[in-house]
């Protein structure tokens, strides 16, 4: 059975698409939340079960719904002798607590579902928000890329190839030798798009809670959380974040691409591709995962083409969700050696990240020098090239300037010396750095 997102019947979205920017409007009634009375009452009771007693306003802040929406719920729960007044609070508010009957009732609710936190957003409303904030509609131009990459060195020829790939919003392969900055490039690509999006903290799909907001991947926009309860504020069930860049490497498994359901709490966690919607998903070190690349091909070949995915809830019901992100595969291997032609066709751009030339190597040292607190010395870098690279035919890597300067910094710090680029310092740290890896 596959459950498609229903058409929104409440008024929180209709006004949002009339302008250029998506902002989730504050619900003014229970109907506008898209949630049932019983679900909201359960969240209130579970919160009080954990804290003992709390004012109506504090409860509203925890549940992330306006006080005006919850006041009727408080009154109904009091009428049913689930809640009682424990005292008065500021601004004509009351402190609420559970009655003996209410504690027994709440324990039954917790056994059914252990979730207690912000009220969820219905899946249908989230689908609409992804359509409104899709990364594919951004189409960044040259000046957007230049701004995103302004503080790192990028080869002009590669920059010229990468621009149209990012503009397309389609997937791309970054391939080349390790240490040349493929991961750094992928992280900067997200910055080329619109900076901020709105995401729900928690989703509700077919009666199940799915945690979407993840501080490991979602960076909150400063100031947005402090205005949640203002009368003209956004819907506090949503949070404003920077477009996410989700990075996964060799630890990627098929399980991390599916909804993870906790059988004890009956609360689910969104998979990585859902958390990366409206942003970028970087598969780092592609080909070195514990699963065969063909498994990932079979799992994603339809989502990459149709821009939607099917996920299975804990109940076994399948739901359709957006698959809307820039997919970036970073690999040290040739793409054609990893996957077949059908997959490569769906990832239309394959960009080689080559070793830097010597002149770029100098620029990389110049970029890295301020970070370790020393001036750039061209003569010292030239000594490094002439003694430790050319005679040994050692390949240049973009990570070498940063790594070697960090070792010099540690050496100078340990010996209480001023931080400088000196030929003799390079001679010391090269032996440590390249003995194993070179």
């Amino acid at each position: 059975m596959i459950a498609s997102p229903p058409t929104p019947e409440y008024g929180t979205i209709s006004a949002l698409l009339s302008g250029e920017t998506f902002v989730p409007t504050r619900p003014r009634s229970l109907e506008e939340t898209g949630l049932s009375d019983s679900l909201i009452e359960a969240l209130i009771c579970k919160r009080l079960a954990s804290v003992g007693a709390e004012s109506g306003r504090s409860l509203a802040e925890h549940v992330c719904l306006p006080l005006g929406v919850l006041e009727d719920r408080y009154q109904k729960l009091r009428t049913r002798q689930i809640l009682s007044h424990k005292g008065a609070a500021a601004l004509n508010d009351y402190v609420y607590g559970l009655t003996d009957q209410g504690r027994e009732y709440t324990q039954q609710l917790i056994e059914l579902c252990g979730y207690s936190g912000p009220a969820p957003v219905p899946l249908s409303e989230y689908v609409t928000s992804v359509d409104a904030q899709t990364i594919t509609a951004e189409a960044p131009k040259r000046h957007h890329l230049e701004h995103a990459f302004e503080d790192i060195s990028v080869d002009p020829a590669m920059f010229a190839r990468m621009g149209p790939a990012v503009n397309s919003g389609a997937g791309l392969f970054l391939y080349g030798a390790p240490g040349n900055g493929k991961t750094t490039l992928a992280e900067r690509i997200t910055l080329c798009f619109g900076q901020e999006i709105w995401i729900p903290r928690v989703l509700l799909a077919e009666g199940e809670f799915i945690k979407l907001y993840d501080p490991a991947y979602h960076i909150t926009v400063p100031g947005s959380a402090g205005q949640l309860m203002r009368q003209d504020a956004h819907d506090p069930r949503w949070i404003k974040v920077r477009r996410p860049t989700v990075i996964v490497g060799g630890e990627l498994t098929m399980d991390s691409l599916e909804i993870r359901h906790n059988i004890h709490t009956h609360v689910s966690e969104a998979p990585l591709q859902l958390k990366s919607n409206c942003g970028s998903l970087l598969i780092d070190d592609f080909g070195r995962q514990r699963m065969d690349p063909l498994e990932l091909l079979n799992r994603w070949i339809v989502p990459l083409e149709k821009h939607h995915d099917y996920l299975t809830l804990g109940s076994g019901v399948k739901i359709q969700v957006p698959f809307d992100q820039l997919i970036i595969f970073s690999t040290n291997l040739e793409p054609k050696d990893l996957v077949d032609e059908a997959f490569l066709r769906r990832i239309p751009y394959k960009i080689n990240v080559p070793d830097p030339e010597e002149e770029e190597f100098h620029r990389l040292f110049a970029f890295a020098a301020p970070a370790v607190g020393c001036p750039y010395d061209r003569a010292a870098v030239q000594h490094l090239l002439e003694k430790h690279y050319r005679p040994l035919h050692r390949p240049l890597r973009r990570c070498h300037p940063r790594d070697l300067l960090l070792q010099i910094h540690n050496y100078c710090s340990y010996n209480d010396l001023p931080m400088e680029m000196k030929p003799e310092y390079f001679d010391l740290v090269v032996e440590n750095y390249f003995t194993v890896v070179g």
Side-chain angles (χ1 to χ4, degrees):
M1 176 181 178
I2 297 176
S4 298
T7 302
E9 296 177 353
Y10 31 89
T12 57
I13 289 294
S14 58
L16 305 180
L17 303 182
S18 58
E20 296 180 353
T21 305
F22 174 91
V23 180
T25 56
R26 184 183 180 88
R28 294 165 297 178
S29 65
L30 175 66
E31 291 70 26
E32 288 188 357
T33 68
L35 304 176
S36 68
D37 207 331
S38 59
L39 186 151
I40 293 174
E41 289 180 358
L43 294 177
I44 294 169
C45 292
K46 290 175 192 177
R47 172 62 178 175
L48 288 175
S50 66
V51 299
E54 196 164 34
S55 70
R57 281 186 173 80
S58 293
L59 274 169
E61 289 179 7
H62 177 80
V63 177
C64 290
L65 287 173
L67 178 61
V69 173
L70 295 185
E71 284 178 325
D72 285 347
R73 268 64 280 149
Y74 298 154
Q75 186 57 44
K76 287 182 179 180
L77 288 168
R78 283 193 65 222
T79 302
R80 290 161 50 199
Q81 299 184 346
I82 302 296
L83 300 188
S84 65
H85 284 169
K86 298 295 185 182
L91 301 174
N92 297 319
D93 197 4
Y94 295 96
V95 175
Y96 295 93
L98 292 171
T99 63
D100 290 341
Q101 179 180 326
R103 280 188 286 273
E104 184 178 338
Y105 170 70
T106 303
Q107 186 56 41
Q108 296 172 1
L109 294 174
I110 292 172
E111 290 173 2
L112 290 172
C113 176
Y115 178 76
S116 174
V121 171
L123 176 62
S124 57
E125 190 167 348
Y126 172 64
V127 171
T128 306
S129 77
V130 173
D131 287 342
Q133 302 176 109
T134 175
I135 198 168
T136 58
E138 292 290 326
K141 310 297 184 186
R142 177 183 290 274
H143 67 275
H144 294 118
L145 265 72
E146 289 173 347
H147 179 69
F149 290 86
E150 63 184 355
D151 59 342
I152 62 173
S153 175
V154 181
D155 177 70
M158 187 181 68
F159 189 85
R161 294 195 304 274
M162 193 164 55
V166 176
N167 177 272
S168 73
L172 67 148
F173 267 103
L174 295 175
Y175 68 98
N180 275 335
K182 296 185 295 296
T183 304
T184 301
L185 290 174
E187 291 174 334
R188 294 307 179 99
I189 283 172
T190 311
L191 299 178
C192 300
F193 298 88
Q195 295 295 298
E196 299 162 355
I197 60 169
W198 291 93
I199 63 168
R201 301 166 189 267
V202 183
L203 294 173
L204 183 69
E206 299 295 309
E208 297 189 27
F209 294 90
I210 305 172
K211 292 184 177 180
L212 179 66
Y213 169 68
D214 187 340
Y217 303 118
H218 299 126
I219 301 173
T220 342
V221 175
S224 63
Q227 301 176 353
L228 296 183
M229 305 312 292
R230 279 177 37 197
Q231 289 302 315
D232 59 343
H234 65 273
D235 185 338
R237 294 176 296 165
W238 298 70
I239 189 165
K240 196 175 189 181
V241 300
R242 287 171 51 185
R243 284 193 185 269
T245 300
V246 175
I247 302 175
V248 289
E251 76 280 7
L252 179 65
T253 63
M254 292 299 286
D255 285 345
S256 57
L257 304 180
E258 304 297 336
I259 292 175
R260 285 169 287 174
H261 182 70
N262 188 315
I263 59 174
H264 302 292
T265 63
H266 303 289
V267 180
S268 299
E269 183 80 17
L272 294 172
Q273 68 273 26
L274 203 62
K275 292 178 180 179
S276 69
N277 271 337
C278 301
S280 299
L281 176 58
L282 168 62
I283 312 298
D284 210 0
D285 287 328
F286 181 59
R288 303 194 187 280
Q289 282 73 29
R290 283 175 285 177
M291 61 178 174
D292 191 288
L294 187 60
E295 286 187 81
L296 190 61
L297 159 66
N298 292 333
R299 173 66 182 80
W300 275 357
I301 197 164
V302 172
L304 281 168
E305 184 156 320
K306 303 295 185 183
H307 300 291
H308 62 250
D309 195 9
Y310 292 102
L311 300 173
T312 305
L313 297 171
S315 62
V317 174
K318 285 189 176 293
I319 57 171
Q320 181 180 313
V321 298
F323 190 85
D324 185 277
Q325 61 284 104
L326 181 66
I327 300 283
I328 305 171
F329 294 90
S330 170
T331 179
N332 303 331
L333 308 172
E334 280 283 344
K336 62 182 176 58
D337 297 333
L338 290 171
V339 292
D340 63 14
E341 185 179 346
F343 191 78
L344 289 176
R345 191 174 67 249
R346 289 165 173 81
I347 307 294
Y349 291 92
K350 297 88 179 172
I351 297 174
N352 183 28
V353 184
D355 295 338
E357 300 292 338
E358 287 192 4
E359 196 54 42
E360 186 184 358
F361 205 57
H362 277 282
R363 291 201 304 272
L364 290 165
F365 270 101
F367 266 98
V372 295
C374 77
Y376 163 65
D377 188 327
R378 185 177 181 87
V381 177
Q382 198 63 28
H383 165 83
L384 173 70
L385 289 167
E386 291 172 357
K387 183 174 181 179
H388 298 290
Y389 280 88
R390 292 174 190 162
L392 302 173
H393 302 288
R394 178 172 280 145
L396 307 181
R397 300 283 193 256
R398 288 185 172 82
C399 65
H400 290 174
R402 175 202 61 200
D403 294 348
L404 292 173
L405 286 178
L406 283 173
Q407 289 214 14
I408 291 176
H409 177 271
N410 295 337
Y411 172 80
C412 292
S413 177
Y414 175 74
N415 290 287
D416 202 21
L417 296 168
M419 176 61 197
E420 299 177 90
M421 281 193 209
K422 287 187 174 181
E424 56 266 35
Y425 290 171
F426 279 125
D427 293 341
L428 282 168
V429 301
V430 159
E431 184 177 355
N432 293 334
Y433 187 68
F434 288 112
T435 297
V436 175
V437 300

